[in-house]
Amino acid sequence: LAMSHVPNVEVIDLDSIDVTNLNRQFLFRQKDVGQSKARVAARFINERCPWMNVIPHHGKIQDKDSSFYGSFQCIISGLDNIEARRWLNATVCSLVELDEDGDPDPSTIIPIVDGGTEGFSGQARVILPRITSCFECSLDIFPPQKTFPLCTVAETPRIPEHCIAYAFTLQWPREFPDRKLDTDSPDDMQWVYQKALARSKEYNIPGVTYMLTMGVVKNIIPAVASTNAIVSATCVNEAMKLLTFCSQTLNTYMMYMGSTSIHSYTYVYEKKEDCPVCSSTIRKMTISPNMTLNQLLQELREGDLRLKAPSVTAAGSGTTLYMQKPPVLEKITRPNLDKRMQALIDDGEELTVTDPMFPGTSVGLSIYFEN
């Protein structure tokens, strides 16, 4: 972006620099270990490229409100987890205003260029909120994060990952009950690594390394510098097209595969008709009349919506069936959790579902009971 003379850039990142970050980029040095990635990167670019005005923000993307994201012409997303990418996608999509005919107002559309890498593979895509498919439309291609059964981790570890999971999920809370594990702290991660290594020796399980410990705790996929360079260049190229209208943008998805050769292809990722973020479709759901509200909420968390902490209101009557926050309202609506849905709503009634995963928007759900 700097060499393309895009002068005003803001970067937000929660991470601090770890020694393992030094081998695949040119922004950080040994003396920067432990410091904010965003601040160090901004300082480096501003000093090297005096025409640039890079403003750093050290923190979560969720710490900024919608007005912050609404102030940009284009957003490049290089986030390393699905939850954050879903949140950003929903936030930017919620900024789009619709006219009387339900068509999006072009002046309120803020393009997202999303990129990611995994080893020798990578992808980049252009999202025009409410026009092209959004990130939520393609959620099915991202499997839920892998977890390990607690009983296996505690009693019968078989692989290095079990030893690491034991160290940070069971041993850390036992040793430091009043302090949360800081995954960006080299000291904390070294402690987890040593404990995991000791447990692996106890059970004769080879393969526990510091890099693997980092990968399991932070759900990190090992990065390859060449893949990162190709995907980041693609993202910048698409951002330049969007900012200058110099050429047709990517339509809409590019896959790069570098494990066997240098190969890439593009294709159009179609919009999902009932996408909870970029469509206004009321989703239909058929359930047993004996299903409780608690079971419905569990289905919303584990089903294709993959919600985090859903709250539900009956759209017709405006009755709040269950609300996660504030605590007072949660306590008042908690008795509804054990009630059957048939006692709470009528057949075909529409529910309004809100969730932290979808800021600024809600999901419409029509509930039908099985005969």
Side-chain angles (χ1 to χ4, degrees):
L1 288 171
M3 301 312 295
S4 299
H5 284 255
V6 179
N8 298 309
V9 176
E10 297 193 35
V11 57
I12 181 168
D13 198 315
L14 175 65
D15 286 350
S16 299
I17 299 167
D18 185 82
V19 68
T20 59
N21 299 136
L22 302 180
N23 70 336
R24 56 180 180 270
Q25 49 67 57
F26 54 84
L27 299 175
F28 311 140
R29 300 292 184 268
Q30 183 71 41
K31 63 182 176 58
D32 300 322
V33 171
Q35 297 186 53
S36 161
K37 284 184 177 180
R39 291 170 184 155
V40 172
R43 183 172 65 243
F44 182 95
I45 295 298
N46 286 334
E47 291 174 355
R48 180 65 63 92
C49 308
W51 61 88
M52 292 296 292
N53 175 35
V54 183
I55 300 174
H57 303 274
H58 180 70
K60 296 180 179 180
I61 61 168
Q62 293 90 338
D63 293 340
K64 302 294 184 181
D65 58 22
S66 58
S67 63
F68 173 79
Y69 296 102
S71 65
F72 300 108
Q73 291 178 271
C74 180
I75 295 174
I76 299 179
S77 166
L79 299 167
D80 61 2
N81 67 86
I82 301 301
E83 183 177 325
R85 293 163 80 181
R86 292 179 70 189
W87 186 92
L88 179 64
N89 174 76
T91 297
V92 179
C93 284
S94 71
L95 296 173
V96 179
E97 297 178 4
L98 304 179
D99 61 21
E100 295 178 353
D101 298 323
D103 297 321
D105 178 357
S107 66
T108 63
I109 295 174
I110 300 173
I112 303 173
V113 181
D114 180 80
T117 65
E118 183 175 313
F120 287 98
S121 300
Q123 56 85 23
R125 69 187 299 179
V126 171
I127 298 172
L128 301 177
R130 294 275 184 172
I131 295 180
T132 67
S133 60
C134 71
F135 184 82
E136 197 71 22
C137 292
S138 57
L139 187 62
D140 293 343
I141 68 175
F142 299 97
Q145 184 175 334
K146 183 179 180 181
T147 58
F148 304 107
L150 195 58
C151 56
T152 301
V153 168
E155 303 296 339
T156 55
R158 297 186 298 274
I159 58 177
E161 288 84 349
H162 290 164
C163 301
I164 298 167
Y166 180 84
F168 80 87
T169 60
L170 296 176
Q171 286 185 289
W172 179 273
R174 197 178 301 146
E175 293 271 345
F176 309 100
D178 300 323
R179 189 163 75 87
K180 185 178 179 181
L181 174 67
D182 182 359
T183 58
D184 293 319
S185 166
D187 292 335
D188 287 7
M189 294 305 299
Q190 187 64 229
W191 186 93
V192 173
Y193 164 61
Q194 293 297 338
K195 293 295 182 181
L197 185 63
R199 186 166 176 82
S200 70
K201 291 178 179 179
E202 179 183 351
Y203 285 88
N204 294 319
I205 301 173
V208 173
T209 65
Y210 183 74
M211 284 299 295
L212 181 63
T213 302
M214 291 279 290
V216 172
V217 175
K218 302 180 70 172
N219 196 30
I220 294 174
I221 305 297
V224 177
S226 58
T227 311
N228 287 357
I230 290 170
V231 172
S232 60
T234 303
C235 290
V236 170
N237 193 37
E238 293 307 317
M240 289 302 300
K241 294 178 189 177
L242 290 162
L243 292 170
T244 65
F245 302 98
C246 65
S247 181
Q248 172 66 46
T249 57
L250 175 66
N251 188 23
T252 55
Y253 204 100
M254 185 279 289
M255 290 288 295
Y256 167 74
M257 292 150 289
S259 56
T260 55
S261 63
I262 300 176
H263 174 64
S264 67
Y265 69 97
T266 64
Y267 63 95
V268 179
Y269 206 104
E270 299 293 344
K271 290 186 69 172
K272 194 174 181 179
E273 290 185 3
D274 61 350
C275 175
V277 172
C278 69
S279 79
S280 302
T281 305
I282 306 299
R283 300 170 68 99
K284 296 180 180 179
M285 187 174 183
T286 302
I287 63 173
S288 165
N290 295 319
M291 176 180 277
T292 65
L293 176 58
N294 193 34
Q295 290 172 326
L296 175 66
L297 296 179
Q298 189 68 19
E299 176 63 26
L300 294 177
R301 285 189 289 264
E302 297 178 354
D304 63 332
L305 285 175
R306 294 197 214 172
L307 300 185
K308 187 177 181 180
S311 298
V312 182
T313 302
S317 64
T319 303
T320 300
L321 302 183
Y322 183 70
M323 191 65 65
Q324 298 276 354
K325 293 180 180 179
V328 173
L329 195 51
E330 192 281 329
K331 185 177 180 179
I332 293 173
T333 57
R334 192 183 305 161
N336 287 337
L337 290 175
D338 294 327
K339 294 180 181 179
R340 295 190 305 160
M341 289 302 301
Q342 197 170 39
L344 296 171
I345 62 171
D346 297 326
D347 186 47
E349 189 167 351
E350 183 183 333
L351 301 180
T352 300
V353 183
T354 57
D355 192 86
M357 200 66 69
F358 302 146
T361 188
S362 60
V363 180
L365 197 64
S366 291
I367 300 295
Y368 296 89
F369 298 117
E370 297 172 348
N371 295 327

